[in-house]
Every structure is written in structure tokens, then in C-alpha cells.
Amino acid sequence: MKTKLFDKFAELFGSSEGARLYFSPGRVNLIGEHTDYNGGHVFPCALTLGTYGAARRRDDRLIHFYSMNLTSFGVVEVSLDDLSYQKSYNWANYPLGVVWAFSEKGYTLENGFDMVIWGNIPNGSGLSSSASLEVLTGVILRDLFGFDSLSMTDLALIGQYSENNFNGCNCGIMDQFAVAMGKKDNAIFLDTSTLNYEYAPIVLEDAKIIITNSKVKHSLVDSAYNDRRQECADALAALQKELDIKALGDLTPEVFEAHKGLITDPIQLKRAKHAVYENQRTIDAVAALKSGDIVKFGQLMNQSHISLRDDYEVSCEEIDVLVDLAWNIPGVVGSRITGGGFGGCTVSIVKNDAVDLFIESIGKAYQEKVGHEAEFYTVDVGDGASRIE
Ligand code: GLA
């Protein structure tokens, strides 16, 4: 990887002398979906798939971005004197957004830099290639310009800030946090209302985590995502007429059941129900994992999918096909949609001796039903973003 990136760096920018190498992972969420902007819990882990970057400071005020995955955009050149979003920058709006967010937060660059990236997170798969790139950029800026007071949590928050305010997706903190704080062989049990977190070792003994990529991404993603957020906010406002709560994540299912009559809109009621029960499922799932009860963990994953499909309505036909197929294979402990929804990936826990059957039979049946192939990745849980050299 180093050679490939540094050769390209030298070709584009004269030499690779003094350039540094960085890595930032993708993430998969095991359970706790659409809870992060409701003050609930999430349970994601960082992948060993991710984005590599080579970067070096410049003496002038120019920034150069180049992606070895999206070569048709060439070198995107931006001046520090105009950090505005430009459609033509395409992918480079993600790293640029982070430069902008740094300056908004008072971390202003005096000099520009050159940056070449290459990544192996499948595009549009819901495995957080954008959060990966944002946190990668954060780590690079902190390191190249000596902003040593910034913690990894700060870099996650800056990444989210740039995505919300520069790139226009109103996402929660889960993705950037998972990418920044990941730890090999552990998932992160994060309380999004306080950002308190705890690592939980993923001990599955005779099973593996498999990601299945539906290879579809429906176009309504961003608008539907923002609609869900609004519906939850409206449901919360209705509940706050009687309850002293800050977020849906403050409610147990029991308290919710006792007060849900305050929400008169049936859609808002379904959304709120998902947010409250999904938060409880996440807490229960982590307890199950800690006590070695993988079967329970799997059942909670399945319930999570049903809730996301029926109450939160963020699944889609192709994803439901994958999950239904998985549920019918003996040796599948649990399977659900993961990430924002409307396409992307499923995450499944599969017994080792059923993995071949899982990939073969789902691969074949999915192709027959949907008309194109699915892709499968066995998950290796890796560390968060860092300089690697
Ligand atoms: C996307 C967002 C996250 C989170 C998930 C759903 O990945 O970026 O903040 O809301 O959807 O759990």
C-alpha cells in the first residue's frame, strides 16, 4: 500500500520525501440503528477495510487532493483563501469539509498540504467510507499542523460537524466515533447522549460476522434520513408535554408504553417506538454478549431488523430478500440491515461450519431473485484511525 500511494504521490508532487502515511477504517454497526440522533446507544466496530492516505505540508496556501479510486477527477486544487463547497470537487468535498470545520473551530491552517488517498471500502455500501475519509483528514491535519490538543473524540465530532454543515447530511455521531475510536477485536458500546463508551470484546467462539452487500443504494437516502430525524423530534416534542426528557433514548419501553398516547400521529408513534425499543435491545445485546449468550444476541439482531423494516421503514426489497434468506439457513445466529438503510449491507453472525453454505446459497438465490450479485466480506475488527508511519 505504502509503495503504491507514495509512487503516485511522487509522480504528482515531485517526490514523496517527508510524506507521511495514515489509515482510517470503515465501520459496521452490530446493533443500535437510528438511535444515535435520539440520544440512545449504538454498538459498532471498526473494520480492517478502510482508507489510506499519504500527506505532506506545503509552503504555500494550496491544498491538493487526489483519489486513486476516482482518478477521473484528477488533482483537485483548493486555496486556503476559499474553502467553499464546490460540486465539481465531488469526493474532495469530504476532506475539504474537514479543513473548513477545523477553521470554524479555531484550528486555522497557515499552509496547505498535498494528500493522496486510496481505499477499499466498497462505495455506497453503508460501511461509512465518508466518515472514514473525514476522520482520516482530521488525523492528517492534527499531525501535520501540530494540533496536539485535539483528542480522537474531538476529531470524530469535527468530522460529524463537517458532514452536517458542509456536506449536508444530518447524520449522528456513530460513524465518525466508530472510525476514530475503533479497537481491534472489540465493538464500542457508546451512549450517544454523553459520549461515554466502553469496549466490549467480540468473542463469538465458533462463529463469524459476515457483511453482505446488496449492491443497491436507493436515491432517497439523505432526504428519508432527514425525514426520520424530524419525525423522531416531533414525537419527542409530543412526549415532552408530560415527560421531563431530553431525548427518546431517555425512555425505557415501560415509560414509553405508559405515555405513548401523547403521540397522536401514527407514523411518529412507529418511529418513536423503534427508537425506544432499539435502544433497549442494544443495552440487552451487549449484556448478552458479555455473558456469552450469542443466541440471545442473534435474536435481538433479528428483532432489530423487523423493527427497522416495519416501524422505522428504512429497509428495502433487496435487503429483505438477503435477511429472509439468511434467517432460513441453519447456523445463522442473527441477521439484520446495518447502517442508514435503503440499500447497503446486512450484517449476520454465522456459525463457522455454515459460512460456505451461507455465501453459496444466498449468493445464488439473491442473483436469481434480484438480478445481480451480492458481495460477501468476513469481518475483521480493526483499530481506529491513526498515522501508521
Ligand atoms: C448513518 C448515519 C449514522 C446513524 C446510522 C443509522 O450511518 O451516518 O449517524 O444514524 O445511519 O443508525
Side-chain angles (χ1 to χ4, degrees):
M1 182 39 45
K2 183 185 169 188
T3 316
K4 202 166 130 178
L5 270 172
F6 277 43
D7 284 355
K8 188 43 113 181
F9 195 98
E11 181 193 319
L12 295 171
F13 307 120
S15 83
S16 61
E17 214 190 306
R20 296 172 180 176
L21 187 62
Y22 306 82
F23 173 75
S24 178
R27 69 94 187 89
V28 65
N29 188 23
L30 300 179
I31 193 163
E33 216 68 81
H34 291 278
T35 48
D36 66 345
Y37 50 85
N38 284 309
H41 292 77
V42 293
F43 196 47
C45 53
L47 303 172
T48 51
L49 297 173
T51 318
Y52 294 82
R56 185 177 61 196
R57 263 178 93 130
R58 296 178 59 89
D59 295 330
D60 57 17
R61 290 182 61 76
L62 293 177
I63 308 174
H64 291 135
F65 298 116
Y66 183 83
S67 165
M68 294 179 73
N69 297 91
L70 295 166
T71 53
S72 64
F73 294 98
V75 174
V76 177
E77 183 177 280
V78 182
S79 161
L80 281 172
D81 301 313
D82 178 12
L83 298 178
S84 61
Y85 180 100
Q86 299 293 334
K87 208 163 179 223
S88 61
Y89 294 163
N90 192 273
W91 71 273
N93 281 305
Y94 287 99
L96 179 60
V98 175
V99 175
W100 170 83
F102 264 67
S103 69
E104 288 288 297
K105 303 278 173 198
Y107 300 92
T108 309
L109 308 193
E110 299 302 333
N111 299 100
F113 61 98
D114 296 324
M115 173 171 167
V116 177
I117 65 152
W118 177 85
N120 56 7
I121 304 172
N123 250 348
S125 60
L127 301 176
S128 288
S129 53
S130 55
S132 174
L133 182 52
E134 286 156 7
V135 176
L136 177 78
T137 309
V139 169
I140 287 174
L141 295 183
R142 178 176 74 173
D143 187 54
L144 289 185
F145 297 96
F147 298 128
D148 297 336
S149 62
L150 291 170
S151 67
M152 287 308 286
T153 303
D154 294 331
L155 296 185
L157 287 165
I158 290 178
Q160 183 201 18
Y161 184 84
S162 74
E163 176 122 11
N164 291 171
N165 300 294
F166 196 85
N167 278 290
C169 175
N170 220 355
C171 65
I173 188 61
M174 169 168 76
D175 302 347
Q176 289 80 6
F177 198 92
V179 165
M181 304 297 288
K183 181 172 166 187
K184 188 173 164 38
D185 297 331
N186 284 259
I188 310 172
F189 183 41
L190 170 69
D191 179 347
T192 62
S193 68
T194 57
L195 295 190
N196 289 337
Y197 67 95
E198 187 190 313
Y199 291 112
I202 303 183
V203 185
L204 300 175
E205 278 162 25
D206 58 348
K208 287 192 170 47
I209 303 173
I210 310 276
I211 294 173
T212 308
N213 187 351
S214 69
K215 305 193 82 170
V216 296
K217 185 177 185 200
H218 294 289
S219 54
L220 64 172
V221 182
D222 280 357
S223 64
Y225 185 90
N226 291 341
D227 289 348
R228 296 297 178 285
R229 278 199 79 141
Q230 190 54 49
E231 287 153 2
C232 286
D234 293 343
L236 174 65
L239 291 166
Q240 282 169 329
K241 286 188 188 132
E242 275 181 24
L243 293 170
D244 181 20
I245 51 169
K246 287 202 182 60
L248 294 175
D250 293 344
L251 294 172
T252 60
E254 293 71 30
V255 177
F256 174 73
E257 289 300 332
H259 294 87
K260 68 181 182 188
L262 290 166
I263 307 169
T264 50
D265 180 284
I267 300 283
Q268 290 170 21
L269 181 62
K270 290 209 282 186
R271 307 298 191 242
K273 178 181 162 212
H274 168 78
V276 171
Y277 279 81
E278 180 76 355
N279 184 37
Q280 188 62 49
R281 274 190 289 274
T282 308
I283 296 167
D284 294 345
V286 175
L289 183 68
K290 280 185 181 165
S291 65
D293 192 347
I294 301 305
V295 172
K296 172 105 187 276
F297 192 93
Q299 287 164 352
L300 290 161
M301 287 174 76
N302 296 345
Q303 288 168 21
S304 165
H305 183 76
I306 293 169
S307 177
L308 288 158
R309 184 191 67 194
D310 298 344
D311 285 334
Y312 219 66
E313 298 179 280
V314 289
S315 190
C316 61
E317 218 179 301
E318 295 87 347
I319 289 284
D320 289 340
V321 166
L322 287 176
V323 170
D324 285 334
L325 288 167
W327 284 348
N328 280 309
I329 296 177
V332 172
V333 181
S335 185
R336 59 181 285 274
I337 187 173
T338 185
F342 305 102
C345 291
T346 67
V347 58
S348 309
I349 299 183
V350 185
K351 296 269 188 201
N352 290 337
D353 53 17
V355 169
D356 289 345
L357 175 70
F358 180 92
I359 294 177
E360 233 169 82
S361 68
I362 295 185
K364 189 158 171 281
Y366 184 75
Q367 165 90 47
E368 273 163 19
K369 288 191 185 198
V370 171
H372 65 255
E373 282 182 347
E375 249 168 38
F376 300 86
Y377 326 104
T378 305
V379 169
D380 271 324
V381 179
D383 286 319
S386 68
R387 177 172 161 191
I388 50 180
E389 160 137 344

